[in-house]
Amino acid sequence: MLLTEHQEQFESRNQPKATGKATTEELTMIRDYVLLPHILTILQNSLNDVQNSTNVLKKAFIAFTQSIMNRVTKDMYEVKRELSRRNIKILNDEQADMIVYHRFVCRGYEDRFGMVREVMRSEITVRISKYINDIYALLRENTK
């Protein structure tokens, strides 16, 4: 009989150890690590605007935005945990020629990840739309 942690170690003993450069999946997680805090900031600013308004549906907007923020926060936690598990650390960011670079260390291999600001904006817009559609789909299921 094995404990859960020991069973995972036992089952993964034959898998090759990941070393060196980040995989495509890990680069996607790094991208998410970079984008999710920006999404949260945008949502917080929107929430502040709604709270200061006199809109009749103010409470509904606040609840909806807060539920999206909760999802983003949960996703941020999961990405951070997975990056930590894979021994990937994001160090800092710098901007040059409209590109935002983030240095990272992936299992001893140091590299940098860059995104053009326009790509970041469009990706953030797509992600926020996806979060809105997910929450909306849940609301539709619950009203049936």
Side-chain angles (χ1 to χ4, degrees):
M1 186 157 113
L2 295 171
L3 294 173
T4 306
E5 304 88 41
H6 298 236
Q7 183 174 358
E8 289 172 2
Q9 288 175 356
F10 179 76
E11 290 172 352
S12 67
R13 74 185 187 285
N14 293 329
Q15 295 175 352
K17 297 289 183 197
T19 58
K21 290 187 175 185
T23 64
T24 305
E25 179 185 9
E26 291 167 342
L27 289 173
T28 302
M29 286 190 290
I30 292 170
R31 181 193 65 190
D32 291 347
Y33 179 88
V34 170
L35 292 177
L36 289 172
H38 291 291
I39 292 171
L40 201 57
T41 301
I42 290 168
L43 291 172
Q44 183 62 50
N45 291 340
S46 178
L47 184 66
N48 292 342
D49 291 345
V50 169
Q51 287 175 335
N52 295 328
S53 74
T54 58
N55 193 323
V56 176
L57 298 175
K58 178 172 151 176
K59 288 184 180 181
F61 287 140
I62 289 172
F64 194 77
T65 304
Q66 191 61 51
S67 64
I68 295 171
M69 289 174 68
N70 290 342
R71 288 268 175 125
V72 172
T73 303
K74 179 179 168 248
D75 288 349
M76 279 175 51
Y77 172 77
E78 290 173 359
V79 167
K80 285 180 183 181
R81 188 180 71 213
E82 186 62 24
L83 286 172
S84 176
R85 190 183 73 74
R86 293 178 185 222
N87 197 19
I88 300 173
K89 295 179 181 87
I90 289 53
L91 301 176
N92 59 1
D93 65 331
E94 58 188 46
Q95 295 184 18
D97 299 327
M98 299 297 289
I99 300 174
V100 179
Y101 292 102
H102 289 270
R103 284 188 333 112
F104 67 92
V105 177
C106 178
R107 296 176 294 272
Y109 180 81
E110 188 171 330
D111 200 357
R112 68 184 190 164
F113 176 81
M115 285 184 72
V116 179
R117 293 180 66 80
E118 289 301 316
V119 172
M120 287 179 73
R121 282 190 189 112
S122 64
E123 184 65 28
I124 286 170
T125 302
V126 168
R127 292 289 182 90
I128 290 175
S129 297
K130 182 183 177 303
Y131 282 115
I132 289 170
N133 290 336
D134 290 348
I135 299 293
Y136 182 69
L138 282 174
L139 287 174
R140 288 190 72 193
E141 285 180 18
N142 290 337
T143 59
K144 287 182 179 180

